[in-house]
Amino acid sequence: MTAVALATALMTVSACKYEDMVPENAPLPAELVRAINANHMGINSPILVRLYKEESDLEIWKQKTDGTYGLLKSYKICAWSGKLGPKTREGDRQAPEGFYTVTPAQLNPNSKYHLAINIGYPNLYDRANGRTGDALMIHGSCNSSGCYAMDDAQVQEIYALARHSFDGGQRAFQIQAYPFRMTPKNMARHKNSDHYAFWQMLKKGSDYFDVTKRPPNVGVCNRSYVFDQDTKTLANLSPTGPCPQIEMAPQVAAKQQQDEVKTEEIAANMAPSEFATSSTFTYRTGEPITAEAYAQEQHRREGFDRTGKRVGGSSGSIFSLFE
């Protein structure tokens, strides 16, 4: 049976063109194609990415035939580094939080981490707030120094979905990177964080998408994110200048108000021990990181070592069946 399987695999390889075998041109798995069709989406329809640090989830949302976006697939992030909170400076090993834009030029088929997608940090908001750093990615190899690392099979699938969306005419897709799912319960748990005001701001963009199932238009003024404004308003914004009168869609504003009330109610009934505590991990930029500190700042899926290699697993190649 092994011989037959090997022969079949080799025949499959020989029937493929070389360019079809390289990772950046890998086809979508048949199961994923079936899910796309079942959810009234198109293979080449636009995508959107949502990231949640605390839950270690990466979600791919895809546009449906009615123009709204539906959840296609959720992946477990293999590794992210740092702690909850935004990236602020080069070398702090923090994974970014915020709203980012990816164009075709940000896909890297030649990454040493199998494949990579540049998130687009720093964006207008980051630069307006003096934040530094670059080359922050979603990539393979399950090893992070400020990136969102996936295993190689996952990033190959995500890369293929991005490639197909650009083939279909999407000029850029949005990445929404959050510290956690922006529920009233989670907001209450993290109410004592130094980053709470920042997360309240991110929640406005999250609420817009949750209500409308469409990507919010994102702008920056007064060193803050603003959402759901028309393109003319966004074009006239200055990242460090004053903000105009901002109005949200009524149903979005209603959700925000309801969630704020719910958050306060939950927090008022929580015991002190139920509030999330901030990590005491600190890393001084430029200093070699110790093994102990590295262990504290890495959030890695079980089954991978500190170099990002699978422990006791297969290589993921078509020949792994016979190892």
Side-chain angles (χ1 to χ4, degrees):
M1 290 180 65
T2 298
V4 171
L6 178 58
T8 301
L10 291 174
M11 288 176 64
T12 301
V13 173
S14 64
C16 293
K17 296 179 181 179
Y18 172 76
E19 57 266 28
D20 293 332
M21 297 302 297
V22 294
E24 67 268 27
N25 291 325
L28 292 173
E31 183 179 357
L32 192 58
V33 172
R34 287 193 292 270
I36 290 172
N37 293 329
N39 285 282
H40 308 290
M41 302 164 178
I43 297 296
N44 292 341
S45 64
I47 65 169
L48 178 143
V49 176
R50 303 185 101 186
L51 293 156
Y52 302 96
K53 282 182 177 177
E54 193 169 52
E55 294 86 358
S56 286
D57 287 339
L58 182 154
E59 296 178 344
I60 297 291
W61 291 70
K62 202 161 174 57
Q63 191 177 64
K64 301 191 293 185
T65 53
D66 66 359
T68 63
Y69 282 65
L71 177 61
L72 173 63
K73 187 170 180 178
S74 182
Y75 302 84
K76 277 297 174 186
I77 297 170
C78 203
W80 60 272
S81 64
K83 50 191 175 182
L84 300 187
K87 181 177 182 65
T88 59
R89 65 185 185 279
E90 175 75 29
D92 64 5
R93 301 176 68 89
Q94 279 285 110
E97 295 173 8
F99 288 75
Y100 297 92
T101 302
V102 174
T103 65
Q106 289 164 244
L107 302 188
N108 181 7
N110 301 312
S111 171
K112 64 180 179 180
Y113 301 113
H114 193 64
L115 294 167
I117 300 171
N118 191 311
I119 291 173
Y121 177 96
N123 61 16
L124 282 176
Y125 172 86
D126 299 319
R127 292 196 293 272
N129 285 277
R131 296 176 176 176
T132 58
D134 60 7
L136 278 301
M137 309 281 175
I138 296 170
H139 62 62
S141 300
C142 197
N143 194 21
S144 172
S145 296
C147 297
Y148 291 96
M150 314 301 292
D151 67 44
D152 288 357
Q154 289 175 320
V155 78
Q156 190 162 298
E157 211 170 275
I158 295 164
Y159 192 100
L161 286 165
R163 187 188 73 232
H164 276 285
S165 78
F166 291 138
D167 288 346
Q170 186 174 22
R171 298 175 64 182
F173 65 84
Q174 188 174 96
I175 293 179
Q176 303 175 3
Y178 299 109
F180 40 74
R181 295 186 182 277
M182 311 301 278
T183 64
K185 182 177 180 179
N186 280 340
M187 293 299 289
R189 288 178 51 240
H190 292 279
K191 191 172 176 58
N192 295 332
S193 171
D194 292 340
H195 304 298
Y196 188 71
F198 173 70
W199 294 337
Q200 283 182 305
M201 180 174 57
L202 296 188
K203 188 178 182 301
K204 293 179 180 180
S206 175
D207 287 343
Y208 178 88
F209 183 78
D210 288 342
V211 170
T212 67
K213 294 299 185 288
R214 298 176 187 271
N217 290 327
V218 182
V220 180
C221 55
N222 195 29
R223 297 184 175 85
S224 301
Y225 283 114
V226 292
F227 305 98
D228 190 27
Q229 305 305 300
D230 59 45
T231 54
K232 183 179 179 180
T233 298
L234 294 180
N236 292 324
L237 294 180
S238 167
T240 58
C243 291
Q245 182 67 34
I246 301 296
E247 294 184 4
M248 298 292 285
Q251 64 271 34
V252 179
K255 182 185 188 315
Q256 291 176 0
Q257 292 169 3
Q258 291 166 6
D259 283 359
E260 286 176 6
V261 171
K262 187 65 174 177
T263 297
E264 293 300 323
E265 289 177 351
I266 293 172
N269 291 286
M270 287 173 58
S273 60
E274 294 179 284
F275 288 93
T277 57
S278 299
S279 171
T280 57
F281 165 79
T282 57
Y283 172 69
R284 293 184 179 180
T285 302
E287 290 187 359
I289 189 166
T290 65
E292 182 181 2
Y294 183 86
Q296 290 186 59
E297 62 108 48
Q298 283 287 310
H299 307 269
R300 178 178 286 112
R301 189 196 311 162
E302 290 185 6
F304 290 81
D305 65 21
R306 63 169 291 166
T307 67
K309 295 180 180 178
R310 193 182 295 273
V311 177
S314 65
S315 64
S317 74
I318 62 170
F319 302 103
S320 60
L321 174 65
F322 315 109
E323 293 177 352

